[in-house]
Amino acid sequence: MLYLSIESSCDETAVAVVESPDGKDEFRILSNVIASQVDVHAKFGGVVPEIASRAHIEAISSLAYKALADAGVTPEQIDRVAVTTEPGLIGALLVGVNFAKGFAYSFGKPLLGVNHIKGHVAANYLCGKVQTPFIAFVASGGHTSIIKASSYTDFETAGRTLDDAMGEAFDKIGRRMGLCYPCGAEMDRLASKGDPNAFKLPAVHMKDGSYNFSLSGLKTYIINLLNTAEMKGEQINREDVCASLTKNICDSVVYQLDRVLKENGIKTLAAAGGVLANSHLRKALTDYCGKNGVTLHVPPLSLCGDNGAMIAAAAKYEYEAGARSDMSLDGKPSSKDDWKSY
Ligand code: KG4
Ligand code: ZN
C-alpha cells in the first residue's frame, strides 16, 4: 500500500510517500520532504501562527508533488492519504487537512486524519517492531506526554506537562540567553561543555504522585538567575546553565519514566519528538534502560522532528484497525486525552 502523508501542525510543511504492506510491520520510505520555516520565525524568537499558515500555503502543493516525484510515483498510484489533524496551530493544520482532502477527493483516494503525537511515537515503527504494551514518552516544542500504549492504536495518557512543553522551555530559556530560535540543538552543544552540577535547579516532575511535569518553574528560575546576574553586571557561564538544566530535565524524565514503567510492569519504552534529538537525554534514557532491562526505541535524529513519514506509520495501523475519515475532516488545535482517529 502506498501512503501519501502530510504534516503541517507547526512550522514544518512535510510530505512523505511511504510503502507498507497491509498486515505486516514493514515500511519503505520512498520520499520524506520537509520545508522548514525556522528561518522565517527565527527573527521573532518563536513561531508566529499567521506567518506559519501562509508559509504552509505557499509550500504545500509543490512539496507534495516533489514528494511524489522523488518517490517515482504518480498521484493515481497512491492508495491512501493521511494527514495530521491535531493538535497544533489551527491555521497551520487546516492547510494540510484541506490539501489532503482536495487530493483525496480529486484522485478518489481514501483519507485518514492522524493525531500528531501518535505520529511522533510511530516514527519508531518505521525502524522496527515495538513490543506492546509499551510506554511512550513524547517531548517536542508543543507537547510533553507519557502514554500507556496497549497497542499501536490504543493510547492512554499517563502524564503530561501542566504548563510549558519541554522544547518550549529550551526555546524560551535559550532565547533569554541570546540564542537563535529554535534553541534546543545549540543548548545541547553548550551543555556538553558545561558543569551539570554548577546550579541546583527546581525539578520538573510533579511531586504529587502523578506522572506529570511542570517546566514553568524551572524556566522562571533560570530567567531570574540571568536577569539578576545582568543587573549586578555579573557574567553567568551559559555552558554551565545549559549543562545544569539539561541534567535537571533528564533526571526528572528518568524519575517519571522509571515510576510509570515499574508501576505498570512494562519493559518497553518508545521515546520520540524533537527534544529526543538531545544527546544527553538520549544517553540518560539509554543508560537507564540498559541498567533496568528495558528495551528502548528512539528514532534516528532525522525522524525525531516533525516529518511526513511518521504520519504514514501512524495512519497505517489506524487504517488497518478500521479508522476512516470523510470530507468533513477538520483540524483541531487541542486533542487533550482524545486519541481516536477519524
Ligand atoms: O518535534 P518538533 O520538531 O516539533 C514540534 O512538534 O514541536 O520539536 C521541536 C522542538 C524545539 O523546541 C527544539 O528546540 C527542540 O525540539 N529540540 C531540541 C533539540 N533539537 C530540537 N531540544 C533539546 N535538544 C536538542 N538537541
Ligand atoms: Zn511535533
Side-chain angles (χ1 to χ4, degrees):
M1 288 288 153
L2 277 180
Y3 291 81
L4 179 77
S5 49
I6 296 152
E7 156 61 43
S8 71
S9 64
C10 190
D11 59 349
E12 332 267 9
T13 323
V15 185
V17 176
V18 175
E19 187 176 31
S20 178
D22 275 354
K24 289 193 180 158
D25 300 307
E26 289 168 16
F27 294 93
R28 223 156 55 93
I29 301 174
L30 302 184
S31 64
N32 194 17
V33 292
I34 301 176
S36 176
Q37 305 170 9
V38 158
D39 295 344
V40 186
H41 299 286
K43 60 177 174 286
F44 300 100
V47 179
V48 182
E50 180 59 24
I51 294 177
S53 311
R54 288 170 192 266
H56 283 306
I57 291 173
E58 282 166 17
I60 188 103
S61 196
S62 51
L63 202 71
Y65 282 92
K66 176 167 172 38
L68 289 164
D70 286 1
V73 303
T74 62
E76 290 76 14
Q77 287 174 297
I78 293 293
D79 295 300
R80 294 166 186 163
V81 181
V83 61
T84 302
T85 47
E86 67 190 274
L89 301 171
I90 187 62
L93 286 165
L94 285 176
V95 175
V97 168
N98 284 309
F99 182 85
K101 281 160 77 169
F103 187 97
Y105 185 77
S106 313
F107 295 101
K109 307 294 179 186
L111 172 70
L112 186 61
V114 174
N115 181 296
H116 179 75
I117 301 176
K118 272 188 165 171
H120 271 301
V121 176
N124 285 298
Y125 315 155
L126 293 163
C127 313
K129 188 155 178 59
V130 179
Q131 200 66 43
T132 56
F134 64 88
I135 295 294
F137 172 61
V138 179
S140 70
H143 326 280
T144 301
S145 303
I146 295 177
I147 298 150
K148 278 196 270 176
S150 47
S151 72
Y152 282 8
T153 53
D154 296 315
F155 281 25
E156 189 191 329
T157 305
R160 70 170 84 76
T161 177
L162 301 178
D163 37 58
D164 291 351
M166 237 158 238
E168 187 183 356
F170 275 108
D171 292 337
K172 287 183 175 165
I173 295 167
R175 187 168 63 183
R176 179 61 190 80
M177 292 197 302
L179 304 178
C180 201
Y181 170 86
C183 314
E186 179 63 14
M187 291 170 82
D188 190 350
R189 279 190 288 278
L190 290 171
S192 303
K193 298 184 207 148
D195 172 6
N197 299 309
F199 296 96
K200 187 161 168 36
L201 302 171
V204 300
H205 61 269
M206 293 298 291
K207 292 173 184 156
D208 57 0
S210 72
Y211 302 123
N212 292 331
F213 297 95
S214 168
L215 288 115
S216 65
L218 173 75
K219 178 188 69 185
T220 309
Y221 186 95
I222 295 178
I223 290 176
N224 281 340
L225 202 72
L226 295 166
N227 287 344
T228 308
E230 198 175 271
M231 281 188 292
K232 289 183 181 166
E234 290 171 3
Q235 283 286 328
I236 281 211
N237 184 317
R238 293 193 311 184
E239 293 163 355
D240 286 348
V241 174
C242 289
S244 301
L245 92 91
T246 304
K247 177 181 183 302
N248 198 61
I249 288 177
C250 291
D251 286 352
S252 283
V253 169
V254 168
Y255 173 83
Q256 290 294 46
L257 291 176
D258 177 52
R259 290 181 56 235
V260 73
L261 285 159
K262 287 188 177 145
E263 287 169 18
N264 288 278
I266 294 178
K267 287 282 189 191
T268 307
L269 174 65
V275 176
L276 271 297
N278 188 281
S279 59
H280 309 276
L281 184 55
R282 291 171 85 92
K283 181 172 183 317
L285 294 182
T286 305
D287 289 350
Y288 166 78
C289 290
K291 282 187 195 133
N292 288 276
V294 173
T295 304
L296 173 66
H297 299 266
V298 196
L301 296 190
S302 59
L303 294 174
C304 279
D306 292 345
N307 65 87
M310 69 185 199
I311 300 304
K316 167 200 167 72
Y317 294 101
E318 300 288 339
Y319 202 96
E320 290 179 17
R324 301 287 184 277
S325 304
D326 60 25
M327 287 298 141
S328 67
L329 187 67
D330 208 353
K332 278 202 332 187
S334 158
S335 66
K336 299 271 187 289
D337 293 338
D338 178 6
W339 292 110
K340 78 178 187 313
S341 286
Y342 297 89

